[in-house]
Amino acid sequence: MTVDPEGVVEFTAELVRSKSVLGNEGAAAESVVRCMKALGYDTAFIDEAGNAVGEIRGAHPGPRIVFDGHLDTVDVQPRDAWTHDPFGAEISDGRMYGRGTSDMKGAVAAMVFGAALCDRERLRGSLVVSASVGEELIEGAALKPVLDRYPADLVVIGEASDLKLVNGGRGRAEVLFRTHGTPSHASAPHLGSNAVHTMRRVVEQVEAIPVPSESPVGPGVLALTAIVSDPYPAHSVIPSGCEATYERRLVPGETLEQVMGDFRAACDVAGAPETTVELATIDYTSYNGWHVAQPKWLPAWWFSAEQAEIAAARRSLQESGFEAELASYQFCTNAAYSAGEAGIPTIGLGPSNETLAHIVDESIALEELVRAVHAYAAVGLSLSPAD
């Protein structure tokens, strides 16, 4: 089969025109299944989570590679700032514009076409393409049922990487701190205990916690993202509660026990041992009713470039004319499950650049979109060495 560049571009446009803002991925998933069937996939269906999943089986037994890209996008805000229709898939000067072009419908389309490009007579095992849901909220959760059904020897995450080979990425934790006080009338604050003042001390000590400054995927990050008093708004009442939210970008080797232990110790130093410290919870229902609720602890991951599956993918890319320069994701991806939790050898490989995600006038270069098809085809045959 010869890749039809126009077909890849047209299919990307079809996906962009499907307004699959988080929670509304159904139409896009159906488009993926139709395309897979048209390209001759052995199976193509929508699974229990709402993911569009297809498999191509090789002529010989062997390993399985799972390609994953997400269909959901962030919303279009502010709409009036766009100079191109965010769902129009307009093409100008060699680029397609629209929400999801770089994050990451272009990669999904390229994966679907790239897997179909692989020679089945040479392919050992099978290739599975997962066009998953909910990644913008539940990184990795929707990939789990795919990998439960199709245990993988290698997972390929299609987030933007400028077609560099990503062998690691930061994780993410969202942590809630709640301080407790005693209400009183605002005219007599000395009769109460102000939970916000207690939170000020807690924040001071939390901000003093050292985070890793170096790792294979860059430094750790600690960011205060919200503080809300309770009651809010208050009317002449000293707040009896206060909640602060911290986002912690994780690096390989960090454990839940270590990170949460540091936070609880900071509360003790602040003189607020009664502070509640807990992970926030993801609660998500997909467009087809699949529900997941889990703590927001998404582990970091990293694999040596010498690991067999990683080395094979890199070698196959280089033999196909790609530099396969190593890189890492600074953001969290579905690899938080495949690599961080399940320990499956995982790489990232995607067209475009991460700085184009979530922005006004998001776009992708058509030339790189087509190159990605060939990159995925190269990886698809990486575990099927020629006899």
Side-chain angles (χ1 to χ4, degrees), residues 70-381:
H70 64 85
L71 289 172
D72 59 304
T73 72
V74 296
D75 206 348
V76 177
Q77 298 292 341
R79 179 69 177 260
D80 58 5
W82 285 67
T83 61
H84 297 270
D85 181 350
F87 301 109
E90 297 172 7
I91 294 175
S92 176
D93 295 327
R95 302 188 69 86
M96 181 185 296
Y97 289 83
R99 178 58 83 217
T101 46
S102 283
D103 187 23
M104 56 178 296
K105 293 178 175 182
V108 169
M111 286 177 165
V112 170
F113 274 75
L117 180 62
C118 293
D119 182 355
R120 292 175 187 245
E121 289 302 315
R122 180 183 164 190
L123 178 64
R124 298 178 183 274
S126 71
L127 306 177
V128 172
V129 177
S130 162
S132 55
V133 300
E135 190 274 347
E136 296 292 355
L137 180 66
I138 55 166
E139 296 103 319
L143 180 55
K144 184 180 186 300
V146 177
L147 294 175
D148 286 346
R149 179 178 276 110
Y150 294 108
D153 296 273
L154 176 67
V155 173
V156 183
I157 301 295
E159 297 280 4
S161 71
D162 288 320
L163 291 180
K164 295 177 182 177
L165 191 151
V166 173
N167 61 329
R170 290 198 290 201
R172 181 170 69 89
E174 189 174 315
V175 184
L176 303 178
F177 294 78
R178 295 187 184 92
T179 53
H180 312 281
T182 304
S184 69
H185 197 284
S187 66
H190 61 285
L191 297 179
S193 174
N194 195 319
V196 174
H197 291 324
T198 304
M199 184 62 78
R200 287 173 56 196
R201 301 197 307 271
V202 169
V203 166
E204 182 180 5
Q205 294 304 319
V206 168
E207 296 281 343
I209 297 172
V211 297
S213 59
E214 294 182 4
S215 82
V217 299
V221 174
L222 178 66
L224 176 63
T225 58
I227 294 183
V228 181
S229 60
D230 181 23
Y232 179 84
H235 301 287
S236 298
V237 176
I238 295 302
S240 57
C242 186
E243 181 176 279
T245 304
Y246 271 92
E247 187 160 306
R248 180 70 157 76
R249 296 290 167 161
L250 306 165
V251 302
E254 291 193 285
T255 66
L256 175 62
E257 293 73 21
Q258 169 209 332
V259 171
M260 297 300 282
D262 287 345
F263 287 148
R264 292 191 177 99
C267 296
D268 291 342
V269 173
E274 74 285 356
T275 300
T276 303
V277 185
E278 62 186 8
L279 291 173
T281 300
I282 296 168
D283 195 305
Y284 170 79
T285 300
S286 71
Y287 70 90
N288 70 341
W290 179 74
H291 177 256
V292 60
Q294 66 183 47
K296 289 188 180 182
W297 176 266
L298 304 161
W301 58 283
W302 181 79
F303 291 97
S304 167
E306 304 305 315
Q307 169 117 8
E309 296 84 358
I310 313 301
R314 191 180 191 193
R315 183 167 54 253
S316 186
L317 284 165
Q318 290 170 335
E319 290 172 352
S320 298
F322 295 88
E323 293 183 10
E325 179 183 348
L326 295 177
S328 64
Y329 286 138
Q330 299 303 292
F331 51 94
C332 193
T333 71
N334 278 350
Y337 176 75
S338 65
E341 291 189 33
I344 302 169
T346 299
I347 63 171
L349 180 70
S352 202
N353 186 281
E354 65 184 71
T355 61
L356 295 173
H358 300 190
I359 67 169
V360 170
D361 284 337
E362 180 181 347
S363 67
I364 191 170
L366 301 184
E367 180 181 0
E368 189 165 3
L369 174 60
V370 174
R371 289 189 71 230
V373 174
H374 297 280
Y376 292 136
V379 173
L381 292 172

Side-chain angles (χ1 to χ4, degrees), residues 22-35:
L22 178 67
N24 297 279
E25 303 95 329
E30 291 174 0
S31 291
V32 171
V33 169
R34 285 195 299 270
C35 184

